[in-house]
Amino acid sequence: MSNRRNWLKQTSLGLVGLGIIPLESFAMPTKQDILEPKEDSLIRLKSNENPYGPSALAKNAMSTSIKVSNRYNWELLEELIREIAQKHAVTDQNILLGAGSSEILNVVALYASKKTGNLIIADTTFDYWTITAENAGLKKITIPLTADKKHDLSAMLNAIDSDTRLIYICNPNNPTGTICANEALLHFIKEATKRTKVLVDEAYLDYTDQPSLANLVTENKNLIIAKTFSKIYGLAGSRIGYALAHSETIEEMNQLQFATNGSVSVVSASGALASLKDHKFVAETISLNTAARKYTIEQLEQLQIRCIPSHTNFVYFSLENYNKDFFEQLKKNRIIGTKIYEEKGKWSRITIGTMKEMQQFIKALE
Ligand SMILES: Cc1ncc(COP(=O)(O)O)c(C=O)c1O
């Protein structure tokens, strides 16, 4: 099974292995779930999807575009690239599209692996994609998070040596939900990119007030930003994301895609284009997520479950003081959570669903 599929099924498989979740309860919606969603179907709090998406504008655009799906549509992709460039105040040459930001991470992994050396990454972070870099010959060096579960930027900077080809910063970080302070991150980028490439994954940045680093790529050949439509835009199943980088860097990276920008379908591109215009949907998602996240953290803490303050649509928490069998409670209540990320402290993560889902989640734990 490919690593990608492993990632999609990650926690369910682990839990199945442990006998915690039966095989039939994979978090993937069944065909039936998609065609006729039922009120009482599984509560999916595993993969940090947006429970409210896609936006109404995106759904409309996507259903209309089905009719022209018999055609390649390079013009539509060009239009999408133009819109993304405008959003970030960069040029079209600074953008590369992919089938989800997973494809972008994969391309960056291959790009950084053109010369042998090492890759520096936090422990714990979103690291499924690094298998590509390791298979292509890079050695992975992991740098522990700080005690408050943040990237240790100075330790990561100190770890750079003449063999370092790439440093990955997930900001905000998955699974911990923590964010790097803007000033500290800017300083880190300035110093680190003098010596190596830096990949900043902004998958969840839209849930915060922090500005994107996109504007830096026009001047900095060693900085690559990964973005996705899977989270705030609610298009996880559509598989669309993009990279922002210097035009020369994009040109080198697109050699590693069989057809440049070509893995994005007409339907996904239409949905993404419409989503970029649906500011109301984004604002609503943020406000609903903030309310459900606040509720969840308050309730978890009442249950003596320590939470890390979150800047995302998920929460990282310690089950150390929780006396029941957490995964058994989820299973009994048809809730799909994820795994234990760190044995020490029994740290796990829950996606913020709708308020109703989070109330069901809390009730299941009480
Ligand atoms: C930090 C981070 N980056 C990238 C991805 C990949 O997302 P996608 O391929 O759906 O864009 C995820 C998915 O959860 C993620 O959490």
Side-chain angles (χ1 to χ4, degrees), residues 20 26 105 172 186 281:
I20 291 167
F26 275 146
L105 302 183
L186 289 173
F281 173 78

Side-chain angles (χ1 to χ4, degrees), residues 7 100-102 105 126 168 170 174 201 203-204 228 230-231 239:
W7 168 63
S101 55
S102 300
L105 302 183
F126 186 77
Y168 174 74
C170 187
N174 180 7
D201 187 335
Y204 302 98
T228 182
S230 295
K231 308 299 174 182
R239 315 302 308 121

Side-chain angles (χ1 to χ4, degrees), residues 43-62:
I43 300 173
R44 300 169 199 285
L45 304 178
K46 186 185 90 160
S47 303
N48 307 338
E49 295 136 337
N50 182 338
Y52 315 106
S55 81
L57 288 190
K59 278 190 275 203
N60 257 338
M62 289 164 93

